[in-house]
Amino acid sequence: MISSRILTSFYGKTSYFQNVSRCCAENYSTHNFKELKKFYKQCFISKTDDGYEVNLDKHKLKTPFGKLFKVPTEALALAVATEWNAQQSVVKRHTMSLTALCNTAIDNPTGRTKDVVIAGILELLDTDTICYRLEEPPELVELQKDKWNPWLKWFHERYGVSLEVTTGIAVPTVPPNSKEILRQHLNSYNDWALVGYQQAVEAIKSFILATATIDRALGVENAVELARLETDYQTSLWGDVEWHHGIDRLDLNTRLASAVLFVHANSSDFVTTFSRMSASRPI
């Protein structure tokens, strides 16, 4: 998990990224990862000519494909090292969201190019959660309008694109020029950041809400709440399934929070801020 001390040194005690960090820390993921007995005493990072390596004692960390675990920024390397140093007697890999995202970026198991990744993210826009509306019950219809319409408006004003909503099985129409604008927006991110961007969109099934969260217009927990609007409405009527709904909510918080942090940890603004702040306030 990401140390709150690291994030405080970047943005201050009440920073946006501390809230992201807290969501990462509340990881109750149901994913099935085999636990591993802890075999190292300390994890630390080392700078190389083209990035930062993560080391477990004297051993260099490797990816599942056996590649050297090397990340492009010091901020990301420290965050990953914090995840490994937070482990106790057993390495619980399901609590190491940033490490998993790094592995995906390094190994690129499906061999996708940047253009393919961008196309895949844009395809998810066609099935965006907040573009699909119900026609009944009336209370839920009004709730969707009240909660979702402001973010459709924000998206339109922020990016100059128009999206329609649908109440049937038809896919909402996305004008070609709107997709091209969003394609250019995604192209402004590097390959590493796009790995996080895709996870953010897939986690909450909404390109719009994920983008608002990455843009810092919307908080992680609020984004998850909006994405779960229909589910939460139903549970308010019929009650929670014991454990399931709470765990699912926390899992979504973790996946979205780590994805957003991953995007920013690979951005030039985040790296510049970290480099300046870390010089005066060592972690």
Side-chain angles (χ1 to χ4, degrees):
M1 300 309 157
I2 308 307
S3 166
S4 61
R5 290 186 301 137
I6 295 176
L7 298 175
T8 299
S9 72
F10 297 157
Y11 294 101
K13 293 183 178 179
T14 59
S15 72
Y16 172 87
F17 285 97
Q18 271 192 283
N19 293 330
V20 172
S21 174
R22 178 166 55 82
C23 290
C24 284
E26 295 173 340
N27 188 343
Y28 289 83
S29 173
T30 57
H31 297 305
N32 182 24
F33 285 88
K34 183 178 179 181
E35 292 185 343
L36 178 70
K37 184 176 180 180
K38 188 175 180 180
F39 57 91
Y40 59 94
K41 293 183 179 180
Q42 184 178 11
C43 180
F44 60 94
I45 69 172
S46 57
K47 191 178 187 316
T48 66
D49 291 338
D50 57 348
Y52 295 84
E53 295 177 0
V54 177
N55 305 281
L56 305 177
D57 294 334
K58 297 181 180 180
H59 304 284
K60 295 181 184 295
L61 186 61
K62 299 291 183 66
T63 70
F65 281 15
K67 296 181 180 179
L68 181 64
F69 192 101
K70 184 184 296 184
V71 301
T73 69
E74 186 178 9
L76 184 56
L78 280 170
V80 169
T82 301
E83 286 187 332
W84 285 88
N85 282 326
Q87 304 303 307
Q88 301 301 317
S89 58
V90 174
V91 177
K92 298 180 178 180
R93 284 176 282 187
H94 66 273
T95 68
M96 305 169 74
S97 304
L98 293 174
T99 298
L101 284 166
C102 289
N103 284 332
T104 300
I106 296 169
D107 284 342
N108 189 12
T110 56
R112 298 183 305 166
T113 64
K114 184 176 184 178
D115 288 342
V116 170
V117 173
I118 290 175
I121 296 174
L122 288 175
E123 283 182 4
L124 299 172
L125 185 62
D126 295 332
T127 56
D128 197 291
T129 294
I130 71 173
C131 289
Y132 283 84
R133 308 295 176 87
L134 296 177
E135 296 181 294
E136 57 180 350
E139 296 86 355
L140 181 54
V141 172
E142 289 303 312
L143 189 61
Q144 289 177 333
K145 289 181 180 178
D146 181 56
K147 297 293 186 178
W148 286 350
N149 283 2
W151 291 105
L152 279 172
K153 180 181 179 182
W154 172 86
F155 195 67
H156 169 69
E157 293 176 349
R158 173 70 175 83
Y159 292 100
V161 298
S162 298
L163 297 177
E164 298 179 358
V165 299
T166 181
T167 55
I169 61 173
V171 175
T173 302
V174 183
N177 62 319
S178 293
K179 275 204 171 182
E180 183 56 32
I181 290 171
L182 297 175
R183 187 185 308 279
Q184 292 177 19
H185 168 66
L186 291 174
N187 198 51
S188 69
Y189 291 91
N190 60 44
D191 291 356
W192 279 68
L194 286 173
V195 171
Y197 210 122
Q198 181 167 12
Q199 175 169 298
V201 176
E202 290 178 344
I204 56 176
K205 298 178 176 61
S206 174
F207 183 96
I208 297 168
L209 295 178
T211 299
T213 309
I214 291 169
D215 279 8
R216 309 182 201 181
L218 180 63
V220 168
E221 291 175 339
N222 289 336
V224 170
E225 182 180 343
L226 289 169
R228 288 175 46 86
L229 192 65
E230 183 179 349
T231 299
D232 288 343
Y233 174 80
Q234 296 295 341
T235 57
S236 72
L237 296 178
W238 309 109
D240 283 330
V241 175
E242 188 175 2
W243 290 106
H244 172 72
H245 290 111
I247 292 175
D248 181 64
R249 185 181 296 106
L250 290 169
D251 185 49
L252 288 179
N253 281 337
T254 297
R255 292 179 63 201
L256 180 59
S258 58
V260 171
L261 186 54
F262 192 82
V263 171
H264 286 285
N266 285 290
S267 74
S268 57
D269 289 345
F270 190 90
V271 174
T272 300
T273 301
F274 172 79
S275 299
R276 182 175 64 253
M277 297 301 292
S278 62
S280 59
R281 286 190 280 176
I283 298 169

